[in-house]
Amino acid sequence: MFVAGIDLGSATGKVVIMENDRVASTVVIRSTASPEKTAALAIEEAASKIGLKAVSDLEYIVGTGYGRSGVSFITENISEITCHAKGAHWLNPGIRTVIDVGGQDCKVISVNADGKVIEFAMNDKCAAGTGKFFEAMARTLDCSLDEFAALALRSGNPCSITKQCSVFAESEVITLINNGERQEDIAGGLIDSIVRRLLSMIYRVGAVPQVVLTGGCARNMALVKSLEVSLGIPVIRTKEDPQITGALGAALFAQAKALIQNK
């Protein structure tokens, strides 16, 4: 029995197909202007990897993420917070705090020993501290996101960045460039400014070990290391791509729902 979880974010669409409690296929693609089209393209690619021909080959599909509403072939929708908690707990049952930094929001989620959400804090009002912020700052520094992370890792004396709004931070970065500051230290300062913003949410919920970082920004190792230094505890690395954690949680819900449906 194959089931799927789809996480339709602002920047990417993620699909996880599961078979009998194992991950059978995963895909991450750039989002299109249409969530329905993104979902169709992502699920078609994930299915083709394991020889499935159509959506009808999937027993149950759970959707999550901003674009989940209105996709015609999704069986059921579940919130991102619940799916990220479920996915992170399945990857590591010792996880108690999930920090998700996605394309347009960031969340901190406290989970119990069963992987259920106890409490959460969320920033969805502006781009500060999200993937959109990193993309804007990388453009200002004329580099890719991977190069931006590599620059920050080489910083020996991070600049002090006081602005967290994308528009004002860009002006501050341009000023620093014109003042001759090293790109490495500007990138390092930007990472540290985002971590300070995350800490305000983390301390509201509580940083109970073990802590994991999920979402596309979890691939930024400069962000991971800065978080570890600030929290004073390790940030767990998962065996799967941290970007698919929400889709994985959705797939786990799909698996449970399909089993109930087939009883």
Side-chain angles (χ1 to χ4, degrees), residues 193-216:
S193 75
I194 294 311
V195 168
R196 286 197 299 276
R197 185 176 179 85
L198 288 173
L199 288 177
S200 67
M201 286 196 295
I202 292 169
Y203 291 138
R204 260 187 277 158
V205 171
V208 179
Q210 299 180 48
V211 175
V212 69
L213 182 63
T214 65

Side-chain angles (χ1 to χ4, degrees), residues 100-122:
D100 176 59
V101 184
Q104 72 174 21
D105 68 26
C106 43
K107 326 176 244 302
V108 180
I109 309 162
S110 173
V111 301
N112 66 15
D114 297 322
K116 293 182 178 173
V117 177
I118 300 173
E119 192 178 354
F120 70 93
M122 184 171 182

Side-chain angles (χ1 to χ4, degrees), residues 28-194:
V28 178
I29 66 170
R30 294 292 300 179
S31 292
T32 69
S34 160
E36 174 97 14
K37 183 179 179 183
T38 303
L41 290 171
I43 212 157
E44 181 182 339
E45 186 175 335
S48 69
K49 282 185 174 182
I50 50 175
L52 301 181
K53 294 179 180 174
V55 169
S56 57
D57 291 332
L58 298 165
E59 194 82 18
Y60 207 101
I61 302 173
V62 167
T64 191
Y66 279 96
R68 67 183 185 269
S69 299
V71 176
S72 60
F73 54 85
I74 286 177
T75 319
E76 181 179 348
N77 289 316
I78 295 178
S79 82
E80 292 169 85
I81 290 166
T82 304
C83 287
H84 273 272
K86 183 82 169 176
H89 180 264
W90 187 80
L91 289 168
N92 183 335
I95 295 296
R96 294 293 177 271
T97 306
V98 181
I99 304 167
D100 176 59
V101 184
Q104 72 174 21
D105 68 26
C106 43
K107 326 176 244 302
V108 180
I109 309 162
S110 173
V111 301
N112 66 15
D114 297 322
K116 293 182 178 173
V117 177
I118 300 173
E119 192 178 354
F120 70 93
M122 184 171 182
N123 163 40
D124 61 354
K125 301 298 183 189
C126 73
T130 70
K132 296 286 186 190
F133 178 88
F134 285 120
E135 286 179 356
M137 295 306 107
R139 277 197 303 274
T140 306
L141 290 174
D142 192 25
C143 63
S144 68
L145 285 172
D146 288 342
E147 290 166 339
F148 177 82
L151 283 170
L153 284 170
R154 294 200 298 273
S155 173
N157 184 26
C159 294
S160 173
I161 307 285
T162 58
K163 305 292 191 299
Q164 293 178 335
C165 165
S166 299
V167 176
F168 294 123
E170 183 176 4
S171 298
E172 193 171 3
V173 167
I174 290 170
T175 300
L176 291 168
I177 293 170
N178 291 335
N179 288 343
E181 296 289 348
R182 298 170 68 236
Q183 271 198 325
E184 288 88 341
D185 293 333
I186 297 172
L190 286 165
I191 292 287
D192 288 349
S193 75
I194 294 311

